[in-house]
Amino acid sequence: MMMEGAMMMGQSMALVPSQLRSVRGFLRALADAVPQVPAALSQAGSVLRADLAGREPITIGFLILLFVGCGVGAEQLLAWAMTGFRRRLTLLPTTTAEQRLRAAGIRLSYGFLLLFAFAAGSLGVFLLFDWPQHLGRLLLLALQLALIVRLALLLCRFLIAPGAPRFRIVPMATRTAEFWFVWSAVIVGYFFAAQFALEILRALAMPRIELHVVGIGLGVGLLALALLILWRAPDRETGEREIAAKTGDLRIWALSFALLVTWLLLFTGSTRPFYVAVICLVGAALLKNARLAVRNLMAVPDSAGTGEPVPQEQSLKTLTIERGVATLILLVGILFLATVLHVGLAQPKLPETPLRWGLRAAVNFAVVVLVTLFLWRFAEAWIDRKIAASEKHASAGPGHGQANRLRTMLPILKNLLLFVLAIIAVLTVLSNLGVDIAPLLASAGIFGIALGFGAQTLVKDIIAGLFFFVDDAFRIGEYIESGNIRGTVESFSLRSLKIRHHRGALHTVPFGSLDKITNYSRDWVIDKLEIGVTYDTDIAKVKRIIKEIGKRLAEEPEFAPHIIEPLKMQGVDQFGDFAIKLRMKMMTKPGEQFAIRRAAYDLIKKRFAEEGVSFAFPTVTVSGHAPDDRSARAAIAQQAMELTRPPAAAPDTR
């Protein structure tokens, strides 16, 4: 394969000098043919007059007007029959994006229906009669030109709506819309009229070199018309026509230079470079206006009540339509380029020439990349929006479990989808280049088996991670514990999990090393509080106070959304040496119990002080006849330490 590529590159480099010699020879032949053009035109005219068999040009013009008139009559008849529908069409609402899309679809369908009536009326009547060869070709090309101009006017009326601004799809000032409505039809009509004129001259056996001279002359007119439109076009937003302001615009000069270079490509001896440049220029203009049109269609109405659409942050629908339209324009442009360059999309068995093989490979590569990019960008936008929506519900409360699970799973899906699309695109490109991918697929299978044996730990980690995800054992943002490692799940990959300890340390743990997982952030938590009161305390009074505090906390706007069951007292837990131990509990959302507990302790202290309830604390009573005895003082201190030492924590199984 490398040998073939090197040979093709060498052959391509050898073609450059021969191409330059061919261009120089063509220019000399072109200069020699200029004086012969009048005679060649006269000869072509003689052939046409002989074929017309005595028909005068005025008769031919009358026939063209007759057929076009039949088409216009059929169109007007249909428009008259649909007067009521057209009246309702002008009243269609265009406030929301859905209404604008619906109105645009109805208007486009109505326009194509009228165009079909025009085609049926003009071409249908023409096809009823038999015509001489050249006369029939002349009339048919004239009718085709009229149909193309009508199609251009239809699309302009649909896109820029010069007489109905509220139906305008491509945003611009009304004066600008009127300008482009007229001049777009003019330049389209001139371009295709020149093409049809050259086709007729070619059919009349005009020599190729003289035909090329005529084509260059017609190209001069096309260049002048394009430059005139470019420099006289009003501003898109204001509609003002300031030629003096355009003299300082580098974009106008760059576009003018591009138009001049496009015309100069006619001197290369082939029309293909010229048509390639025209397709690229038209495609660039369509891409720019398509983006503006989609955003204008999908804009939301102005909240101030003006009725004008206001562009907003791109939604998934807007992004999909915009990228879909751009991909469609690029694909159609590539197909036109392939047609102009005479290269198909089919895979060649043997390349005819290195240049054609390279062009075909480039076309196939561009198509595959465009389709793959569209699918990936659509999937990426959908996944990113789902992730952003799930991050708004990052808390692990009972109502947001599904959102947190999506937030955990979607990044893995995104990476996996990118990998799959890339592999499919690469294999498709290689197949279109003529590479047999069956051995690659077989080698990939063998490599996968070898990788499985040689990387058992890696496979173990990946499979363990998949089972953890299936079991929904943890999600991003949850606080978990596994063995002696605990912390918040921060991120993960296909192989490992990153856990951030509450003191800042970041643990990276392979899934295969995870043991049992304790999740402290799932559904709800029960927090238990304990206080000590003196033995003379009224327990019923304390229970009432705790109940009031629980009710007050549940009514606080800061805590109410996080409290599932309010604070309440469970009763006496035990009788201590110096206090009655009372236990309380509450049910909250995970992670919210700490702030609520602090607020509860603060309210308990304040309410106990107001109600005269005393907290118990250790006291020491000293009696004896030798207060200065050091051994007695040491014994007293030891007893005080034993009394104040907190009891050992015991597991709570209740």
Side-chain angles (χ1 to χ4, degrees):
M1 188 67 187
M2 294 180 61
M3 294 284 295
E4 294 179 0
M7 291 176 61
M8 289 182 180
M9 182 173 292
Q11 293 175 5
S12 299
M13 295 297 295
L15 287 176
V16 175
S18 62
Q19 290 291 337
L20 292 177
R21 289 193 298 270
S22 176
V23 170
R24 286 196 296 269
F26 173 75
L27 292 176
R28 287 194 295 267
L30 203 65
D32 296 337
V34 170
Q36 308 298 326
V37 170
L41 289 175
S42 177
Q43 178 64 29
S46 301
V47 175
L48 181 60
R49 284 192 296 272
D51 184 74
L52 295 182
R55 291 185 176 88
E56 297 295 332
I58 190 172
T59 305
I60 299 174
F62 174 75
L63 291 175
I64 294 175
L65 291 177
L66 174 64
F67 296 138
V68 173
C70 291
V72 172
E75 179 182 359
Q76 293 300 318
L77 182 62
L78 180 61
W80 174 80
M82 301 182 69
T83 302
F85 174 79
R86 189 170 64 254
R87 188 179 298 112
R88 291 192 299 272
L89 182 61
T90 59
L91 300 176
L92 287 175
T94 56
T95 305
T96 65
E98 289 74 13
Q99 291 173 345
R100 285 193 291 275
L101 285 172
R102 179 174 178 271
I106 294 176
R107 291 181 64 244
L108 185 62
S109 301
Y110 175 72
F112 273 111
L113 190 62
L114 294 181
L115 184 65
F116 176 78
F118 175 83
S122 57
L123 296 177
V125 175
F126 168 78
L127 295 175
L128 292 177
F129 302 94
D130 292 329
W131 304 95
Q133 177 183 0
H134 296 300
L135 177 60
R137 180 186 293 270
L138 178 63
L139 294 176
L140 183 60
L141 291 177
L143 294 179
Q144 288 180 4
L145 178 62
L147 191 61
I148 290 172
V149 172
R150 290 284 295 114
L151 178 61
L153 292 173
L154 164 66
L155 294 178
C156 287
R157 187 176 289 109
F158 166 71
L159 294 173
I160 61 180
R166 72 188 190 93
F167 289 117
R168 191 166 297 151
I169 296 177
V170 181
M172 62 179 64
T174 299
R175 184 176 179 182
T176 307
E178 293 172 349
F179 176 89
W180 284 109
F181 179 75
V182 174
W183 287 100
S184 295
V186 170
I187 195 168
V188 169
Y190 182 91
F191 180 83
F192 283 97
Q195 299 298 313
F196 294 156
L198 294 176
E199 184 176 344
I200 292 174
L201 292 175
R202 187 180 299 109
L204 295 175
M206 188 174 188
R208 176 182 176 275
I209 190 65
E210 284 82 359
L211 186 65
H212 212 103
V213 173
V214 175
I216 291 175
L218 294 174
V220 172
L222 183 64
L223 174 64
L225 185 60
L227 291 175
L228 175 66
I229 294 173
L230 177 64
W231 285 91
R232 289 182 56 84
D235 182 75
R236 176 188 291 274
E237 297 180 358
T238 63
E240 298 296 329
R241 185 180 300 167
E242 299 178 358
I243 299 180
K246 292 186 177 183
T247 56
D249 193 343
L250 294 179
R251 294 175 299 176
I252 299 295
W253 286 104
L255 189 54
S256 300
F257 179 75
L259 292 173
L260 178 61
V261 171
T262 302
W263 174 73
L264 291 176
L265 291 175
L266 291 172
F267 291 90
T268 59
S270 173
T271 58
R272 293 178 187 177
F274 170 78
Y275 288 124
V276 168
V278 170
I279 292 173
C280 291
L281 290 174
V282 174
L286 288 178
L287 285 174
K288 178 182 178 181
N289 287 281
R291 183 173 64 254
L292 296 174
V294 172
R295 294 181 180 179
N296 183 56
L297 271 177
M298 303 305 295
V300 301
D302 187 3
S303 58
T306 61
E308 295 294 330
V310 179
Q312 298 288 318
E313 182 182 357
Q314 287 183 300
S315 64
L316 179 61
K317 182 187 294 186
T318 304
L319 203 62
T320 303
I321 295 176
E322 180 179 331
R323 291 174 177 172
V325 171
T327 303
L328 181 62
I329 292 174
L330 290 173
L331 288 175
V332 172
I334 290 174
L335 293 177
F336 272 115
L337 288 175
T339 303
V340 168
L341 298 173
H342 299 293
V343 293
L345 299 180
Q347 174 184 329
K349 294 182 179 179
L350 289 174
E352 304 86 348
T353 62
L355 180 60
R356 178 163 296 183
W357 183 87
L359 290 174
R360 182 181 285 109
V363 169
N364 287 323
F365 176 78
V367 171
V368 172
V369 169
L370 282 175
V371 174
T372 304
L373 280 179
F374 172 72
L375 294 176
W376 163 243
R377 296 298 294 274
F378 170 73
E380 182 188 32
W382 182 83
I383 292 175
D384 288 344
R385 276 161 173 73
K386 287 293 183 181
I387 293 175
S390 64
E391 287 178 351
K392 295 181 181 178
H393 309 288
S395 61
H400 304 303
Q402 185 64 26
N404 285 328
R405 190 170 188 182
L406 286 175
R407 184 172 170 235
T408 302
M409 298 296 295
L410 286 175
I412 295 180
L413 176 63
K414 181 179 177 181
N415 294 332
L416 184 61
L417 182 62
L418 176 60
F419 177 76
V420 171
L421 287 177
I423 292 297
I424 293 176
V426 170
L427 292 178
T428 304
V429 169
L430 291 177
S431 176
N432 288 331
L433 290 177
V435 178
D436 187 7
I437 63 174
L440 294 177
L441 296 176
S443 301
I446 297 174
F447 177 76
I449 295 174
L451 181 64
F453 283 110
Q456 296 183 23
T457 303
L458 176 62
V459 174
K460 175 186 174 183
D461 293 336
I462 294 175
I463 293 178
L466 291 177
F467 279 106
F468 278 125
F469 293 141
V470 171
D471 293 337
D472 195 20
F474 51 80
R475 302 165 188 164
I476 290 179
E478 293 184 337
Y479 193 88
I480 66 172
E481 178 182 0
S482 178
N484 60 347
I485 295 177
R486 62 170 56 189
T488 303
V489 178
E490 192 166 277
S491 64
F492 49 83
S493 63
L494 286 174
R495 191 192 75 88
S496 62
L497 175 71
K498 293 186 183 297
I499 301 176
R500 176 75 66 176
H501 192 266
H502 56 270
R503 292 182 179 175
L506 181 64
H507 303 286
T508 301
V509 186
F511 287 122
S513 301
L514 290 176
D515 195 3
K516 63 179 181 179
I517 291 179
T518 303
N519 195 324
Y520 293 97
S521 300
R522 190 61 59 87
D523 301 332
W524 47 266
V525 295
I526 291 180
D527 194 27
K528 296 193 175 183
L529 295 76
E530 190 177 88
I531 60 174
V533 297
T534 59
Y535 274 88
D536 60 350
T537 301
D538 184 354
I539 303 300
K541 183 178 182 180
V542 173
K543 187 174 183 179
R544 175 180 57 80
I545 294 173
I546 298 301
K547 184 176 181 181
E548 292 176 358
I549 292 174
K551 184 178 180 181
R552 179 174 175 181
L553 288 172
E555 292 175 352
E556 286 286 338
E558 181 181 358
F559 303 129
H562 309 300
I563 296 177
I564 300 175
E565 291 184 4
L567 180 69
K568 61 183 178 182
M569 193 174 79
Q570 292 182 284
V572 177
D573 183 51
Q574 61 176 326
F575 292 102
D577 294 332
F578 58 87
I580 299 176
K581 301 295 180 65
L582 303 179
R583 176 164 290 191
M584 301 160 286
K585 76 171 185 177
M586 59 182 175
M587 182 185 292
T588 68
K589 293 180 181 180
E592 305 294 337
Q593 70 270 26
F594 307 108
I596 300 175
R597 181 200 302 165
R598 289 190 289 269
Y601 276 138
D602 185 58
L603 289 176
I604 288 173
K605 183 179 183 303
K606 292 179 181 178
R607 291 289 292 131
F608 276 19
E610 295 172 358
E611 297 289 340
V613 179
S614 300
F615 291 99
F617 52 89
T619 59
V620 179
T621 303
V622 181
S623 63
H625 301 284
D628 58 343
D629 188 348
R630 293 184 178 180
S631 61
R633 288 197 298 268
I636 292 171
Q638 181 64 30
Q639 184 180 4
M641 291 177 63
E642 293 293 335
L643 289 173
T644 56
R645 181 178 298 167
D652 191 345
T653 58
R654 287 179 291 173

